[in-house]
């Protein structure tokens, strides 16, 4: 059985993330979208909110589950029996960073491989950081995130203004 994880912060989930989830879900038997609890960052959405949003956006994919984790991705992958880590590449700069992590992970656990997928061209520029920046100024994010999530994103910034 091919079991993979697609780790990330997904704060917030974008069309680029969803594209990667859909594409990688077709390549494996089971895909776990693994939301990292990153204590070094101050996220816009709580872990629970991100899990809920991703569950809503992937409920049509029967082989996809959403979970959160704390710690090293390689350790989490091993703990759930995943033998593939899915990573998306937008640009050459992503590749250098991701390659270093993949090679390190391979030394830590040679049973787990990293599968790189290039981002679909229409999402090559897109990141959660860009979405948050635009939304913080009330800009139009409809081309970057599902309509169901837009109100939640804008609401986070409205609360911050009060």
């Amino acid at each position: 059985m091919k079991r993979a994880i697609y780790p990330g912060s997904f704060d917030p989930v974008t069309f680029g993330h969803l594209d990667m989830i859909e594409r990688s879900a077709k390549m494996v038997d089971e895909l776990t979208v693994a939301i990292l609890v990153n204590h070094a960052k101050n996220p816009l959405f709580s872990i629970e909110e991100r899990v809920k949003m991703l569950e809503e956006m992937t409920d049509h994919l029967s082989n996809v589950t959403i979970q959160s984790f704390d710690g090293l991705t390689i350790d989490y992958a091993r703990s759930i029996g995943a033998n593939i880590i899915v990573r998306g590449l937008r640009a050459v700069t992503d590749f250098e960073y991701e390659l270093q992590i993949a090679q390190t992970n391979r030394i830590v656990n040679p049973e787990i491989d990293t599968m790189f997928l290039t981002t679909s061209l229409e999402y090559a520029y897109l990141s959660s950081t860009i979405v948050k920046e635009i939304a913080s100024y009330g800009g139009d994010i409809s081309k970057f995130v599902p309509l169901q999530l837009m109100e939640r994103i804008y609401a986070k910034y409205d609360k911050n203004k009060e």
Side-chain angles (χ1 to χ4, degrees):
M1 173 179 288
K2 286 188 260 178
R3 182 174 291 145
I5 66 167
Y6 175 42
S9 58
F10 307 102
D11 186 41
V13 62
T14 68
F15 285 135
H17 294 131
L18 296 173
D19 177 58
M20 294 296 294
I21 292 167
E22 295 216 6
R23 290 169 51 211
S24 57
K26 291 176 186 174
M27 298 178 193
V28 298
D29 300 306
E30 293 179 8
L31 176 67
T32 298
V33 178
I35 305 169
L36 172 63
V37 177
N38 188 338
H39 301 288
K41 289 188 176 182
N42 185 18
L44 185 63
F45 290 97
S46 70
I47 286 291
E48 296 77 19
E49 289 171 314
R50 287 180 272 161
V51 167
K52 184 174 173 31
M53 286 189 288
L54 276 160
E55 285 174 344
E56 290 172 22
M57 298 297 104
T58 61
D59 65 354
H60 64 288
L61 300 169
S62 61
N63 66 332
V64 173
T65 57
I66 313 300
Q67 295 182 1
S68 63
F69 76 101
D70 194 353
L72 295 174
T73 300
I74 195 77
D75 291 340
Y76 179 70
R78 183 182 32 78
S79 76
I80 65 166
N83 52 357
I84 301 167
I85 298 172
V86 176
R87 298 299 295 162
L89 300 173
R90 293 174 294 195
V92 173
T93 52
D94 286 348
F95 179 73
E96 290 182 42
Y97 173 75
E98 294 292 345
L99 180 64
Q100 185 178 22
I101 291 171
Q103 289 171 329
T104 303
N105 284 342
R106 188 90 170 123
I107 290 169
V108 172
N109 189 333
E111 301 298 314
I112 300 174
D113 275 312
T114 300
M115 177 173 71
F116 296 112
L117 293 179
T118 57
T119 307
S120 293
L121 214 45
E122 65 266 34
Y123 307 123
Y125 63 90
L126 186 55
S127 71
S128 294
T129 303
I130 288 172
V131 171
K132 289 186 279 193
E133 177 77 11
I134 294 169
S136 73
Y137 290 103
D140 180 10
I141 57 172
S142 63
K143 291 182 174 68
F144 312 130
V145 299
L147 293 175
Q148 307 92 298
L149 303 183
M150 284 177 51
E151 267 187 48
R152 293 181 223 180
I153 296 167
Y154 288 130
K156 289 290 183 177
Y157 290 104
D158 289 341
K159 285 180 187 175
N160 293 339
K161 291 177 185 174
E162 295 172 0

